[in-house]
Amino acid sequence: MSDITPTDRTTVRREERSSYDRSEIEAILDQALFCHVGFVDDGRPVVIPMLHARLGEHVYLHGSPATRMFRLFKKGHDVSVAVTLMDGLVLARSAFDHSANYRSVVLFGRTEAIEDLDERTAVLDAFTDKLVPGRRPSLRPMTEKEVRATAVVRVPMIEASAKIRTGPPVDDEADYALPIWAGVIPILTSFGEPIPDPRQHPDATEPDHLGFFRR
């Protein structure tokens, strides 16, 4: 899979941490559960945390069409989408050299509204599939009213880059002789035990796909 060509906006200045590999960028976007969307509204910067899903070479966002944000997005609006996965705290021998291991993606683009109801339904299904793999077949289908009540836009993955840090701390050479503990504290994200709805139907049993969250 080809790289994404960097632009002035997406060029990572620290070349050793940069990646323009499309498959790596897609993997980070797919693993991240939410993103931050930045845009300008009436001359003021705004950043909103949102769920996202990727299909092919687009990142999709959804929300209420009544919000000012999606009224702007449906017309086509310049946005920045960012995700970050924190993998570890990097403890060095000096406070100055402390860091973090992470994988992040930033992309820039103009929103494109999804008006076709079948396409919009497919995108909303993709959100469910991403958040809870295997759940969608057990749900009742969305109604046309529900689909119409949800705005969906996409952002093309044309301007995008990843920034990644891995590995141990990097200290000044002289500091390696100091008797100070240094290393990496991994950050592990896990799901808790599923909590049934208090209004659960008495005949409802826990579905097999919830086993995904117990791995």
Side-chain angles (χ1 to χ4, degrees):
M1 189 173 290
S2 62
D3 287 354
I4 295 177
T5 303
T7 67
D8 288 342
R9 295 196 293 185
T10 61
T11 297
V12 179
R13 304 306 171 190
R14 298 192 64 171
E15 293 184 6
E16 75 278 10
R17 297 187 183 180
S18 66
S19 175
Y20 306 99
D21 180 82
R22 184 178 295 276
S23 61
E24 193 161 35
I25 290 170
E26 290 178 353
I28 295 170
L29 287 167
D30 292 347
Q31 184 175 342
L33 293 178
F34 69 96
C35 65
H36 285 88
V37 180
F39 59 99
V40 175
D41 178 11
D42 196 22
R44 297 171 297 179
V46 181
V47 177
I48 302 292
M50 301 182 66
L51 298 176
H52 70 282
R54 182 192 63 83
L55 287 174
E57 298 183 358
H58 291 85
V59 171
Y60 290 82
L61 309 170
H62 75 299
S64 169
T67 63
R68 179 175 175 82
M69 175 174 63
F70 272 95
R71 290 202 300 270
L72 290 173
F73 288 2
K74 288 185 68 176
K75 298 175 183 177
H77 201 76
D78 289 330
V79 299
S80 173
V81 180
V83 304
T84 302
L85 301 171
M86 289 290 292
D87 296 320
L89 302 178
V90 180
L91 309 187
R93 293 161 182 83
S94 71
F96 180 79
D97 289 316
H98 277 52
S99 188
N101 286 339
Y102 60 89
R103 290 161 290 151
S104 64
V105 166
V106 174
L107 68 91
F108 299 90
R110 193 168 185 82
T111 58
E112 302 168 350
I114 306 302
E115 301 293 356
D116 181 80
L117 293 185
D118 289 338
E119 183 179 0
R120 199 184 302 179
T121 299
V123 173
L124 294 175
D125 285 343
F127 274 93
T128 302
D129 291 338
K130 176 187 177 182
L131 292 174
V132 190
R135 180 162 181 77
R136 187 159 52 90
S138 68
L139 304 177
R140 70 154 175 81
M142 286 182 290
T143 65
E144 181 178 326
K145 180 180 179 181
E146 290 170 333
V147 175
R148 290 185 180 278
T150 307
V152 176
V153 300
R154 69 183 184 183
V155 184
M157 291 174 54
I158 298 173
E159 284 191 272
S161 61
K163 188 175 180 182
I164 301 165
R165 190 202 188 279
T166 61
V170 179
D171 277 296
D172 292 343
E173 192 60 37
D175 288 344
Y176 287 98
L178 298 173
I180 299 172
W181 190 94
V184 176
I185 300 175
I187 297 174
L188 305 176
T189 302
S190 62
F191 293 100
E193 190 73 14
I195 302 171
D197 185 343
R199 296 187 61 182
Q200 193 80 270
H201 191 284
D203 294 335
T205 58
E206 184 175 298
D208 291 341
H209 61 255
L210 291 191
F212 171 83
F213 299 99
R214 293 195 170 94
R215 291 188 298 180

